[in-house]
Coordinates of all heavy atoms in Angstrom, one line a residue:
M205 N 0.9 -1.2 0.0 CA 0.0 0.0 0.0 C 0.8 1.2 0.0 O 1.8 1.4 0.8 CB -0.9 0.0 1.3 CG -1.9 1.1 1.3 SD -3.0 1.2 0.0 CE -3.9 -0.4 0.2
E206 N 0.7 2.1 -1.0 CA 1.4 3.4 -1.0 C 0.5 4.6 -1.4 O -0.6 4.3 -2.0 CB 2.6 3.3 -1.9 CG 2.2 3.0 -3.4 CD 3.5 2.9 -4.2 OE1 4.5 2.3 -3.8 OE2 3.3 3.4 -5.4
C207 N 1.0 5.8 -1.1 CA 0.2 7.0 -1.5 C 0.0 7.1 -3.0 O 1.1 7.1 -3.7 CB 0.8 8.2 -0.9 SG 0.2 9.7 -1.4
P208 N -1.2 7.3 -3.5 CA -1.3 7.5 -4.9 C -0.7 8.8 -5.5 O -0.6 8.9 -6.7 CB -2.9 7.4 -5.2 CG -3.4 7.7 -3.8 CD -2.4 7.3 -2.8
T209 N -0.5 9.7 -4.6 CA 0.1 11.0 -5.1 C 1.5 11.1 -5.1 O 2.2 11.3 -6.1 CB -0.5 12.2 -4.1 OG1 -1.9 12.1 -4.1 CG2 0.0 13.6 -4.6
C210 N 2.2 10.7 -3.9 CA 3.6 10.9 -3.8 C 4.3 9.5 -3.6 O 5.6 9.4 -3.5 CB 4.0 11.8 -2.7 SG 3.6 11.1 -1.0
H211 N 3.6 8.4 -3.6 CA 4.1 7.0 -3.5 C 4.9 6.8 -2.3 O 5.7 5.8 -2.2 CB 4.9 6.7 -4.8 CG 4.1 6.8 -6.1 ND1 3.2 5.9 -6.4 CD2 4.1 7.8 -7.0 CE1 2.6 6.4 -7.6 NE2 3.2 7.5 -7.9
S212 N 4.6 7.5 -1.3 CA 5.3 7.3 0.1 C 4.5 6.1 0.7 O 3.3 5.8 0.5 CB 5.1 8.5 0.9 OG 5.3 8.2 2.2
R213 N 5.3 5.3 1.5 CA 4.7 4.2 2.3 C 4.5 4.6 3.7 O 4.2 3.8 4.5 CB 5.5 3.0 2.1 CG 5.4 2.4 0.8 CD 6.4 1.2 0.7 NE 6.4 0.8 -0.8 CZ 5.6 -0.1 -1.4 NH1 4.7 -0.6 -0.7 NH2 5.8 -0.3 -2.7
Q214 N 4.7 5.9 4.0 CA 4.6 6.5 5.3 C 3.0 6.8 5.6 O 2.6 7.9 5.4 CB 5.4 7.7 5.6 CG 6.8 7.5 5.3 CD 7.6 7.2 6.6 OE1 7.3 7.8 7.7 NE2 8.5 6.3 6.6
L215 N 2.2 5.8 5.8 CA 0.8 6.0 5.9 C 0.2 5.8 7.3 O 0.8 5.1 8.1 CB 0.1 5.0 5.0 CG 0.6 5.0 3.5 CD1 -0.1 3.8 2.7 CD2 0.3 6.3 2.8
Q216 N -0.8 6.5 7.5 CA -1.4 6.5 8.8 C -2.9 6.0 8.6 O -3.6 6.5 7.7 CB -1.5 7.9 9.4 CG -1.9 7.9 10.8 CD -1.9 9.4 11.3 OE1 -1.3 10.3 10.8 NE2 -2.7 9.6 12.4
R217 N -3.3 5.0 9.4 CA -4.6 4.5 9.2 C -5.6 5.6 9.7 O -5.4 6.2 10.7 CB -4.9 3.2 10.1 CG -4.4 2.0 9.4 CD -4.3 0.9 10.3 NE -3.6 -0.2 9.7 CZ -4.2 -1.3 9.2 NH1 -5.4 -1.4 9.2 NH2 -3.4 -2.3 8.6
N218 N -6.7 5.8 9.0 CA -7.5 7.0 9.2 C -9.0 6.6 9.4 O -9.9 7.2 8.7 CB -7.3 8.0 8.1 CG -7.8 9.4 8.5 OD1 -7.9 9.8 9.7 ND2 -8.1 10.2 7.5
G219 N -9.3 5.5 10.0 CA -10.7 5.1 10.2 C -11.3 4.3 9.0 O -10.5 4.0 8.1
Y220 N -12.6 4.1 9.0 CA -13.2 3.3 7.9 C -14.3 4.1 7.3 O -15.0 4.9 8.0 CB -13.8 2.0 8.5 CG -12.8 0.9 8.9 CD1 -12.1 0.9 10.1 CD2 -12.5 0.0 7.9 CE1 -11.2 0.0 10.4 CE2 -11.5 -1.0 8.2 CZ -10.9 -1.0 9.5 OH -10.0 -1.9 9.8
R221 N -14.5 3.9 6.0 CA -15.6 4.4 5.2 C -16.2 3.3 4.4 O -15.5 2.8 3.6 CB -15.2 5.6 4.4 CG -16.3 6.5 3.9 CD -15.7 7.6 3.1 NE -14.8 8.4 3.9 CZ -13.8 9.2 3.4 NH1 -13.7 9.3 2.1 NH2 -13.0 9.9 4.1
N222 N -17.5 3.1 4.6 CA -18.2 1.9 3.9 C -17.4 0.6 4.1 O -17.2 -0.2 3.1 CB -18.3 2.2 2.4 CG -19.3 3.3 2.2 OD1 -20.3 3.5 3.0 ND2 -19.2 4.0 1.1
Q223 N -16.9 0.4 5.3 CA -16.1 -0.9 5.7 C -14.8 -1.0 4.9 O -14.3 -2.1 4.7 CB -17.0 -2.1 5.5 CG -18.1 -2.1 6.4 CD -19.4 -2.9 6.0 OE1 -19.4 -3.4 4.8 NE2 -20.3 -3.2 6.9
V224 N -14.3 0.2 4.4 CA -13.0 0.1 3.7 C -12.1 1.0 4.5 O -12.4 2.1 5.0 CB -13.1 0.7 2.2 CG1 -11.8 0.7 1.6 CG2 -14.1 -0.2 1.4
Q225 N -10.9 0.4 4.7 CA -9.8 1.1 5.5 C -9.4 2.4 4.8 O -9.1 2.4 3.6 CB -8.7 0.2 5.6 CG -7.5 0.9 6.4 CD -7.8 1.1 7.9 OE1 -8.1 0.1 8.6 NE2 -7.7 2.3 8.4
C226 N -9.5 3.5 5.5 CA -9.0 4.8 4.9 C -7.6 5.1 5.4 O -7.2 4.7 6.6 CB -9.9 5.9 5.4 SG -11.6 5.8 4.8
Y227 N -6.8 5.7 4.6 CA -5.4 6.0 4.9 C -5.2 7.5 4.8 O -5.7 8.1 4.0 CB -4.4 5.2 4.1 CG -4.4 3.8 4.3 CD1 -5.2 2.9 3.5 CD2 -3.6 3.2 5.3 CE1 -5.2 1.6 3.8 CE2 -3.6 1.8 5.5 CZ -4.4 1.0 4.7 OH -4.4 -0.4 4.9
K228 N -4.2 7.9 5.5 CA -3.7 9.3 5.3 C -2.2 9.3 5.2 O -1.5 8.6 5.9 CB -4.1 10.2 6.5 CG -3.8 11.7 6.3 CD -4.3 12.5 7.5 CE -4.0 14.0 7.2 NZ -4.3 14.8 8.3
C229 N -1.7 10.0 4.1 CA -0.3 10.0 3.9 C 0.4 10.9 4.8 O -0.1 12.1 5.0 CB -0.1 10.4 2.4 SG 1.7 10.6 2.0
K230 N 1.4 10.5 5.4 CA 2.2 11.4 6.4 C 3.0 12.4 5.7 O 3.5 13.4 6.2 CB 3.0 10.5 7.3 CG 2.3 9.8 8.4 CD 3.2 9.0 9.3 CE 2.4 8.2 10.2 NZ 3.3 7.3 11.1
C231 N 3.3 12.1 4.4 CA 4.2 13.1 3.7 C 3.5 14.2 3.0 O 3.8 15.4 3.2 CB 4.9 12.2 2.6 SG 6.1 11.1 3.3
C232 N 2.4 13.9 2.3 CA 1.6 14.9 1.6 C 0.3 15.2 2.2 O -0.4 16.2 1.7 CB 1.5 14.7 0.1 SG 0.4 13.3 -0.3
G233 N -0.2 14.4 3.1 CA -1.4 14.7 3.8 C -2.6 14.2 3.0 O -3.8 14.4 3.4
R234 N -2.5 13.6 1.9 CA -3.6 13.1 1.1 C -4.3 11.9 1.8 O -3.7 11.0 2.4 CB -3.1 12.6 -0.2 CG -4.2 11.9 -1.0 CD -4.1 11.9 -2.5 NE -5.3 11.0 -2.9 CZ -5.4 10.8 -4.2 NH1 -4.6 11.2 -5.1 NH2 -6.5 10.1 -4.6
Q235 N -5.7 12.0 1.8 CA -6.4 10.9 2.3 C -7.0 10.1 1.2 O -7.4 10.6 0.2 CB -7.6 11.5 3.2 CG -7.1 12.2 4.5 CD -8.2 12.6 5.3 OE1 -9.2 11.9 5.6 NE2 -8.2 13.9 5.7
F236 N -7.0 8.7 1.4 CA -7.5 7.9 0.3 C -8.0 6.5 0.9 O -7.7 6.3 2.0 CB -6.4 7.6 -0.7 CG -5.2 7.1 -0.3 CD1 -4.9 5.6 -0.3 CD2 -4.2 7.8 0.2 CE1 -3.8 5.1 0.1 CE2 -3.0 7.3 0.7 CZ -2.8 5.9 0.7
L237 N -8.7 5.8 0.1 CA -9.2 4.5 0.6 C -8.3 3.4 0.2 O -7.5 3.4 -0.8 CB -10.6 4.2 -0.2 CG -11.7 5.2 0.2 CD1 -12.9 5.0 -0.7 CD2 -12.1 5.2 1.7
G238 N -8.2 2.4 1.1 CA -7.3 1.3 0.9 C -7.7 0.4 -0.3 O -6.8 -0.1 -1.0
S239 N -8.9 0.3 -0.7 CA -9.4 -0.4 -1.8 C -10.4 0.3 -2.6 O -11.5 0.6 -2.0 CB -9.8 -1.8 -1.4 OG -10.3 -2.4 -2.6
Y240 N -10.2 0.7 -3.8 CA -11.1 1.4 -4.6 C -12.3 0.5 -5.1 O -13.4 0.9 -5.2 CB -10.5 2.1 -5.8 CG -9.5 3.2 -5.4 CD1 -8.2 3.0 -5.3 CD2 -10.1 4.5 -5.0 CE1 -7.4 4.0 -4.9 CE2 -9.2 5.4 -4.6 CZ -7.9 5.3 -4.5 OH -7.1 6.2 -4.1
K241 N -11.9 -0.7 -5.4 CA -13.0 -1.7 -5.9 C -14.1 -1.9 -4.8 O -15.2 -1.8 -5.1 CB -12.3 -3.0 -6.2 CG -11.8 -3.0 -7.6 CD -11.2 -4.4 -7.9 CE -10.5 -4.4 -9.2 NZ -9.8 -5.6 -9.5
Q242 N -13.6 -2.2 -3.6 CA -14.6 -2.5 -2.5 C -15.4 -1.2 -2.1 O -16.4 -1.4 -1.5 CB -13.9 -3.1 -1.3 CG -13.4 -4.5 -1.6 CD -12.6 -5.1 -0.4 OE1 -12.5 -4.4 0.6 NE2 -12.1 -6.2 -0.7
A243 N -14.8 -0.1 -2.3 CA -15.4 1.2 -1.8 C -16.7 1.5 -2.6 O -17.5 2.3 -2.1 CB -14.4 2.3 -1.9
R244 N -16.9 0.9 -3.8 CA -17.9 1.3 -4.6 C -19.3 0.8 -4.2 O -20.3 1.4 -4.4 CB -17.7 0.9 -6.1 CG -16.6 1.6 -6.7 CD -16.1 1.0 -8.0 NE -17.1 1.0 -9.0 CZ -17.2 0.2 -10.1 NH1 -16.2 -0.7 -10.2 NH2 -18.1 0.3 -11.0
Y245 N -19.4 -0.4 -3.5 CA -20.7 -0.8 -3.1 C -20.7 -1.2 -1.6 O -19.7 -1.7 -1.1 CB -21.0 -2.1 -4.0 CG -20.8 -1.9 -5.4 CD1 -19.8 -2.5 -6.2 CD2 -21.7 -1.0 -6.1 CE1 -19.7 -2.2 -7.5 CE2 -21.6 -0.8 -7.4 CZ -20.6 -1.3 -8.1 OH -20.4 -1.1 -9.5
S246 N -21.9 -1.0 -1.1 CA -22.1 -1.3 0.4 C -22.3 -2.8 0.6 O -22.6 -3.5 -0.3 CB -23.2 -0.5 1.0 OG -24.4 -1.0 0.5
E247 N -22.1 -3.1 1.8 CA -22.3 -4.5 2.2 C -23.7 -4.9 2.0 O -24.1 -6.1 1.5 CB -22.0 -4.8 3.7 CG -22.0 -6.2 4.2 CD -20.9 -7.0 3.5 OE1 -19.9 -6.5 3.1 OE2 -21.1 -8.3 3.6
D248 N -24.7 -4.1 2.1 CA -26.2 -4.3 1.9 C -26.5 -4.7 0.4 O -27.1 -5.7 0.1 CB -27.0 -3.1 2.2 CG -27.1 -2.9 3.7 OD1 -26.7 -3.8 4.5 OD2 -27.5 -1.8 4.1
V249 N -25.8 -3.9 -0.5 CA -26.0 -4.2 -1.9 C -25.4 -5.5 -2.3 O -26.0 -6.3 -3.0 CB -25.3 -3.1 -2.8 CG1 -25.3 -3.4 -4.2 CG2 -26.0 -1.7 -2.5
K250 N -24.2 -5.8 -1.7 CA -23.6 -7.0 -2.0 C -24.4 -8.3 -1.5 O -24.6 -9.2 -2.3 CB -22.2 -7.0 -1.2 CG -21.4 -8.2 -1.3 CD -20.1 -8.1 -0.6 CE -19.4 -9.4 -0.3 NZ -18.1 -9.1 0.4
Q251 N -24.9 -8.2 -0.3 CA -25.8 -9.3 0.2 C -27.0 -9.5 -0.5 O -27.4 -10.5 -0.8 CB -26.1 -9.0 1.7 CG -24.9 -9.1 2.7 CD -24.1 -10.4 2.7 OE1 -24.7 -11.4 2.4 NE2 -22.8 -10.3 2.8
L252 N -27.6 -8.4 -1.0 CA -28.8 -8.4 -1.8 C -28.5 -9.1 -3.2 O -29.3 -10.0 -3.6 CB -29.3 -7.0 -2.1 CG -30.8 -6.9 -2.6 CD1 -31.8 -7.3 -1.6 CD2 -31.0 -5.4 -3.1
C253 N -27.4 -8.8 -3.8 CA -27.0 -9.4 -5.1 C -26.8 -11.0 -4.8 O -27.3 -11.8 -5.6 CB -25.8 -8.8 -5.6 SG -26.1 -7.2 -6.3
I254 N -26.1 -11.3 -3.8 CA -25.9 -12.7 -3.5 C -27.2 -13.4 -3.3 O -27.4 -14.5 -3.8 CB -25.0 -12.9 -2.3 CG1 -23.6 -12.3 -2.6 CG2 -24.8 -14.3 -1.8 CD1 -22.6 -12.1 -1.4
R255 N -28.1 -12.8 -2.5 CA -29.4 -13.4 -2.3 C -30.2 -13.6 -3.5 O -30.9 -14.7 -3.7 CB -30.2 -12.6 -1.2 CG -30.6 -13.4 0.0 CD -31.3 -12.5 1.0 NE -30.4 -11.6 1.7 CZ -30.7 -10.4 2.1 NH1 -31.9 -9.8 1.9 NH2 -29.7 -9.6 2.6
M256 N -30.2 -12.6 -4.4 CA -31.0 -12.7 -5.6 C -30.4 -13.8 -6.5 O -31.1 -14.5 -7.3 CB -31.0 -11.3 -6.3 CG -32.0 -10.4 -5.6 SD -32.4 -8.9 -6.7 CE -31.0 -8.0 -6.6
H257 N -29.1 -13.9 -6.5 CA -28.4 -14.9 -7.3 C -28.8 -16.3 -6.8 O -29.1 -17.2 -7.6 CB -26.9 -14.8 -7.2 CG -26.2 -15.8 -8.1 ND1 -26.2 -15.8 -9.5 CD2 -25.5 -16.8 -7.7 CE1 -25.4 -16.8 -9.9 NE2 -25.1 -17.5 -8.8
L258 N -28.9 -16.5 -5.5 CA -29.3 -17.7 -4.9 C -30.8 -18.0 -5.2 O -31.2 -19.3 -5.2 CB -29.1 -17.7 -3.3 CG -27.7 -17.7 -2.9 CD1 -27.6 -17.5 -1.4 CD2 -26.9 -19.0 -3.2
Q259 N -31.6 -17.0 -5.5 CA -33.0 -17.2 -5.9 C -33.1 -17.6 -7.4 O -34.2 -17.8 -7.9 CB -33.8 -15.9 -5.6 CG -33.9 -15.6 -4.2 CD -34.7 -16.6 -3.4 OE1 -35.7 -17.1 -3.8 NE2 -34.2 -17.0 -2.2
G260 N -32.0 -17.7 -8.0 CA -31.9 -18.1 -9.4 C -31.7 -17.0 -10.5 O -31.7 -17.3 -11.7
M261 N -31.4 -15.7 -10.0 CA -31.1 -14.7 -11.0 C -29.7 -14.8 -11.4 O -28.7 -15.0 -10.6 CB -31.4 -13.4 -10.3 CG -31.6 -12.3 -11.4 SD -32.0 -10.7 -10.5 CE -33.8 -10.7 -10.7
S262 N -29.5 -14.7 -12.7 CA -28.1 -14.8 -13.2 C -27.3 -13.5 -12.9 O -27.9 -12.5 -12.7 CB -28.1 -15.1 -14.8 OG -28.5 -13.8 -15.5
T263 N -26.0 -13.6 -13.0 CA -25.1 -12.4 -12.7 C -25.3 -11.4 -13.8 O -25.3 -10.2 -13.5 CB -23.7 -12.8 -12.6 OG1 -23.3 -13.6 -13.8 CG2 -23.4 -13.6 -11.3
R264 N -25.6 -11.8 -15.0 CA -25.9 -11.0 -16.2 C -27.1 -10.1 -15.9 O -27.3 -8.9 -16.1 CB -26.0 -11.7 -17.5 CG -24.7 -12.4 -17.9 CD -23.9 -11.4 -18.8 NE -22.6 -12.1 -19.2 CZ -21.7 -11.5 -19.8 NH1 -21.8 -10.3 -20.2 NH2 -20.6 -12.2 -20.2
A265 N -28.2 -10.8 -15.4 CA -29.5 -10.2 -15.1 C -29.3 -9.2 -14.0 O -29.8 -8.1 -14.0 CB -30.5 -11.3 -14.8
L266 N -28.5 -9.6 -13.0 CA -28.3 -8.7 -11.9 C -27.4 -7.4 -12.3 O -27.7 -6.4 -11.8 CB -27.4 -9.4 -10.8 CG -28.2 -10.3 -9.9 CD1 -27.3 -11.2 -9.1 CD2 -29.1 -9.6 -8.9
E267 N -26.5 -7.7 -13.3 CA -25.8 -6.6 -13.9 C -26.7 -5.5 -14.5 O -26.6 -4.3 -14.2 CB -24.8 -7.1 -14.8 CG -24.0 -5.9 -15.4 CD -22.9 -6.4 -16.5 OE1 -22.7 -7.6 -16.6 OE2 -22.3 -5.6 -17.1
K268 N -27.7 -6.0 -15.2 CA -28.6 -5.1 -15.9 C -29.5 -4.4 -14.9 O -29.7 -3.2 -15.0 CB -29.6 -5.9 -16.8 CG -29.0 -6.1 -18.2 CD -30.0 -6.7 -19.1 CE -29.5 -7.2 -20.4 NZ -30.4 -8.1 -21.1
L269 N -29.8 -5.1 -13.8 CA -30.7 -4.6 -12.8 C -30.0 -3.5 -11.9 O -30.6 -2.4 -11.6 CB -31.3 -5.7 -11.9 CG -32.4 -5.4 -11.0 CD1 -33.7 -5.3 -11.8 CD2 -32.6 -6.5 -10.0
T270 N -28.8 -3.8 -11.5 CA -28.1 -3.0 -10.5 C -27.1 -2.0 -11.1 O -26.6 -1.2 -10.4 CB -27.5 -3.9 -9.5 OG1 -26.5 -4.7 -10.1 CG2 -28.5 -4.7 -8.7
G271 N -26.6 -2.4 -12.3 CA -25.5 -1.6 -12.9 C -24.1 -2.1 -12.4 O -23.1 -1.5 -12.8
I272 N -24.1 -3.1 -11.6 CA -22.8 -3.6 -11.1 C -22.3 -4.7 -12.0 O -23.0 -5.6 -12.5 CB -23.0 -4.2 -9.7 CG1 -23.6 -3.2 -8.7 CG2 -21.7 -4.8 -9.2 CD1 -24.0 -3.7 -7.4
H273 N -21.0 -4.6 -12.4 CA -20.4 -5.5 -13.4 C -20.6 -7.0 -12.9 O -20.3 -7.2 -11.7 CB -19.0 -5.1 -13.6 CG -18.4 -5.7 -14.9 ND1 -17.9 -6.9 -14.9 CD2 -18.5 -5.2 -16.2 CE1 -17.5 -7.2 -16.2 NE2 -17.9 -6.2 -17.0
H274 N -20.9 -7.8 -13.7 CA -21.2 -9.2 -13.4 C -20.0 -10.0 -12.7 O -20.2 -10.8 -12.0 CB -21.8 -10.1 -14.6 CG -20.8 -10.3 -15.7 ND1 -20.8 -9.4 -16.7 CD2 -19.9 -11.2 -15.9 CE1 -19.9 -9.8 -17.6 NE2 -19.4 -10.9 -17.2
T275 N -18.8 -9.5 -13.2 CA -17.6 -10.1 -12.6 C -17.4 -9.7 -11.1 O -16.9 -10.5 -10.3 CB -16.3 -9.8 -13.3 OG1 -16.2 -8.4 -13.4 CG2 -16.3 -10.3 -14.7
T276 N -17.9 -8.5 -10.7 CA -17.9 -8.1 -9.4 C -18.9 -8.9 -8.6 O -18.5 -9.4 -7.5 CB -18.3 -6.6 -9.3 OG1 -17.5 -5.8 -10.1 CG2 -18.2 -6.1 -7.8
I277 N -20.0 -9.1 -9.1 CA -21.0 -9.9 -8.4 C -20.5 -11.4 -8.2 O -20.7 -12.0 -7.2 CB -22.4 -9.9 -9.2 CG1 -22.9 -8.5 -9.2 CG2 -23.4 -10.8 -8.6 CD1 -24.1 -8.2 -10.2
L278 N -20.0 -11.9 -9.3 CA -19.4 -13.2 -9.3 C -18.3 -13.4 -8.2 O -18.3 -14.4 -7.5 CB -18.8 -13.6 -10.7 CG -18.8 -15.0 -11.1 CD1 -20.2 -15.6 -11.1 CD2 -18.2 -15.1 -12.5
S279 N -17.5 -12.4 -8.1 CA -16.4 -12.5 -7.0 C -17.0 -12.4 -5.6 O -16.5 -13.1 -4.7 CB -15.5 -11.3 -7.2 OG -16.1 -10.1 -6.8
W280 N -18.2 -11.8 -5.4 CA -18.9 -11.8 -4.2 C -19.4 -13.1 -3.8 O -19.4 -13.7 -2.7 CB -20.1 -10.7 -4.1 CG -19.6 -9.4 -4.2 CD1 -18.4 -8.8 -4.0 CD2 -20.4 -8.2 -4.5 NE1 -18.4 -7.5 -4.0 CE2 -19.7 -7.1 -4.5 CE3 -21.8 -8.1 -5.0 CZ2 -20.1 -5.8 -4.7 CZ3 -22.3 -6.8 -5.2 CH2 -21.5 -5.7 -5.2
I281 N -20.1 -13.8 -4.9 CA -20.7 -15.1 -4.7 C -19.6 -16.1 -4.4 O -19.8 -17.0 -3.6 CB -21.4 -15.5 -6.0 CG1 -22.6 -14.6 -6.2 CG2 -21.9 -17.0 -6.0 CD1 -23.2 -14.4 -7.6
R282 N -18.4 -16.0 -5.0 CA -17.3 -17.0 -4.7 C -16.7 -16.9 -3.4 O -16.0 -17.7 -2.9 CB -16.2 -16.8 -5.8 CG -16.6 -17.4 -7.1 CD -15.5 -17.1 -8.1 NE -15.9 -17.7 -9.5 CZ -15.4 -17.2 -10.6 NH1 -14.5 -16.2 -10.6 NH2 -15.8 -17.7 -11.7
E283 N -16.9 -15.7 -2.7 CA -16.3 -15.5 -1.4 C -16.6 -16.5 -0.3 O -17.7 -16.8 -0.2 CB -16.6 -14.0 -0.9 CG -15.6 -13.0 -1.3 CD -16.0 -11.6 -0.9 OE1 -16.8 -11.5 0.1 OE2 -15.6 -10.7 -1.5
Ligands
LIG397 ZN1 1.6 11.3 -0.2

């Protein structure tokens, strides 16, 4: 993990946002999320997609319905 602005590894943990670890760079002061992929959707949305998939909805159908890419949904189901 490094700062996207100055590439420093001098990072300070700065709490959580949407269950994603936030970091603050000690060098330039920039705040950023530990994972951009996970930051996009909440746990509620994720659980709802998994549940709908278990009810027989395909990941492609879920993609059309929610706008979330089917590979993202697939990775949640595989977890
Ligand atoms: Zn920095």
